[in-house]
């Protein structure tokens, strides 16, 4: 009788077998990490970050959700992958606008323009540039993000800024760029079907007594500053550091 439990246990293991490996061959053939991230970005572009889940992305690709964990170990890893995809697109933008920057400021402007273009192409993914980079320490950020940091820092060091000033300009540049994009992308229209500007913006919802200046300025705030506003603000910012490196004034 002592052998019977062992046979039963062995039979149970044989019946269940090893865990089934979910297939990563979907409607587009065998998956790749690039394809998974591209599909995730398309889904977010179309329906927003709240729509993104492993199950939903698997359905988009025609595979089980478990198959995706080979390419992103968790939901956070998938979100970090979306950040990586945005920065890879930034690199493509910069490569298309190739050429040696004659001046460090021109290089920063080129990076700012390309970043702005990528963000406007993927507005629903832009919040990740804040939320994920707030959650992920420097050394664990995607390689494309680190290359962007290196790109900006190298321009500043080549300009002659010392380490401390380079750090200050880097922070100011990053804050202005991401802050400007965030303001540009904030929703302003309350009812897109309305033709009257006041009702389109929902000004009737704002107290004329408590918020008179906001009501008066809302129409102007609803207009995007565009790349021109980005460039003007960046120049004003960089002017405050102009006296930093000896070579900054001479170029």
């Amino acid at each position: 009788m002592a052998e019977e439990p062992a046979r039963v246990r062995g039979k149970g293991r044989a019946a269940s077998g090893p865990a089934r490996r979910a297939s990563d061959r979907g409607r587009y053939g065998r998956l790749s990490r690039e394809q998974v991230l591209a599909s995730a970005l398309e889904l977010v572009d179309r329906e927003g970050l709240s729509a993104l889940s492993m199950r939903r992305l698997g359905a988009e690709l025609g595979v089980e959700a478990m198959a995706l964990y080979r390419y992103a170990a968790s939901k956070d890893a998938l979100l970090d992958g979306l950040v990586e995809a945005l920065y890879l697109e930034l690199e493509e933008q910069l490569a298309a606008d190739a050429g040696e920057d004659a001046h460090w400021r021109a290089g920063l402007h080129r990076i700012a323009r390309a970043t702005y273009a990528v963000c406007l192409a993927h507005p629903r993914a832009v919040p990740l540039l804040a939320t994920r980079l707030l959650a992920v320490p420097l050394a664990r950020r995607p390689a494309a993000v680190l290359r962007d940091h290196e790109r900006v820092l190298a321009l500043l060091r080549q300009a002659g800024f010392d380490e401390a000033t380079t750090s200050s300009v880097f922070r100011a540049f990053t804050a202005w760029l991401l802050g400007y994009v965030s303001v540009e992308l904030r929703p302003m229209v309350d009812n897109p079907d309305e033709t009257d500007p006041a009702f389109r913006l929902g000004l009737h919802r704002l107290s004329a007594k408590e918020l008179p200046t906001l009501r008066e300025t809302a129409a102007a705030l609803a207009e995007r500053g565009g790349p021109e506003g980005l460039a003007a603000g960046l120049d004003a910012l960089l002017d405050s550091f102009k006296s930093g490196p000896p070579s900054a004034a001479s170029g």
Side-chain angles (χ1 to χ4, degrees):
M1 294 298 292
E3 294 297 320
E4 185 63 24
R7 287 199 301 272
V8 171
R9 286 195 299 272
K11 183 178 180 181
R13 284 196 300 272
S16 61
R20 184 171 64 86
R21 181 179 173 88
S23 173
D24 65 348
R25 184 173 292 280
R27 63 173 56 98
Y28 306 112
R30 189 171 296 282
L31 295 181
S32 67
R33 187 168 184 274
E34 292 74 15
Q35 187 178 36
V36 168
L37 295 182
S39 293
L41 187 55
E42 288 174 6
L43 176 58
V44 170
D45 285 344
R46 192 170 66 244
E47 300 183 34
L49 284 166
S50 62
L52 181 63
S53 68
M54 291 297 201
R55 185 183 298 275
R56 179 63 192 281
L57 182 57
E60 290 277 316
L61 290 164
V63 299
E64 295 181 36
M66 289 301 297
L68 300 179
Y69 286 94
R70 293 172 215 167
Y71 307 99
S74 65
K75 176 68 177 292
D76 282 347
L78 181 60
L79 295 177
D80 290 339
L82 288 180
V83 173
E84 179 183 7
L86 293 176
Y87 276 89
L88 287 172
E89 190 167 322
L90 168 62
E91 290 184 343
E92 292 175 4
Q93 290 261 358
L94 292 172
D97 184 25
E100 290 295 324
D101 296 311
H103 193 279
W104 62 276
R105 288 176 68 138
L108 292 181
H109 274 280
R110 193 165 70 94
I111 293 169
R113 285 194 308 271
T115 304
Y116 179 83
V118 170
C119 288
L120 261 64
H122 306 285
R124 290 180 164 181
V126 167
L128 293 174
L129 299 183
T131 57
R132 289 312 304 162
L133 295 187
L134 283 172
V136 180
L138 175 67
R140 295 183 181 272
R141 293 172 190 169
V145 176
L146 297 178
R147 288 194 297 269
D148 181 69
H149 296 345
E150 176 69 20
R151 192 178 299 118
V152 174
L153 291 168
L155 279 171
L156 298 174
R157 293 310 297 271
Q158 290 164 16
F161 287 110
D162 60 26
E163 186 174 306
T165 309
T166 292
S167 175
S168 295
V169 180
F170 175 81
R171 289 193 184 99
F173 172 78
T174 303
W176 168 249
L177 176 54
L178 297 183
Y180 184 87
V181 168
S182 296
V183 171
E184 287 278 89
L185 295 178
R186 286 189 300 184
M188 294 291 291
V189 174
D190 181 59
N191 188 345
D193 296 327
E194 284 284 355
T195 55
D196 183 286
F199 286 102
R200 183 177 175 81
L201 294 175
L203 299 189
H204 59 289
R205 303 182 187 279
L206 305 179
S207 168
K209 182 178 180 180
E210 296 180 4
L211 306 167
T213 311
L214 179 57
R215 281 173 58 101
E216 182 180 309
T217 315
L221 290 175
E223 298 293 330
R224 285 182 174 168
E228 298 80 12
L230 174 67
L234 181 55
D235 275 331
L237 176 72
L238 296 178
D239 281 345
S240 65
F241 293 98
K242 189 160 51 176
S243 61
S247 59
S250 62

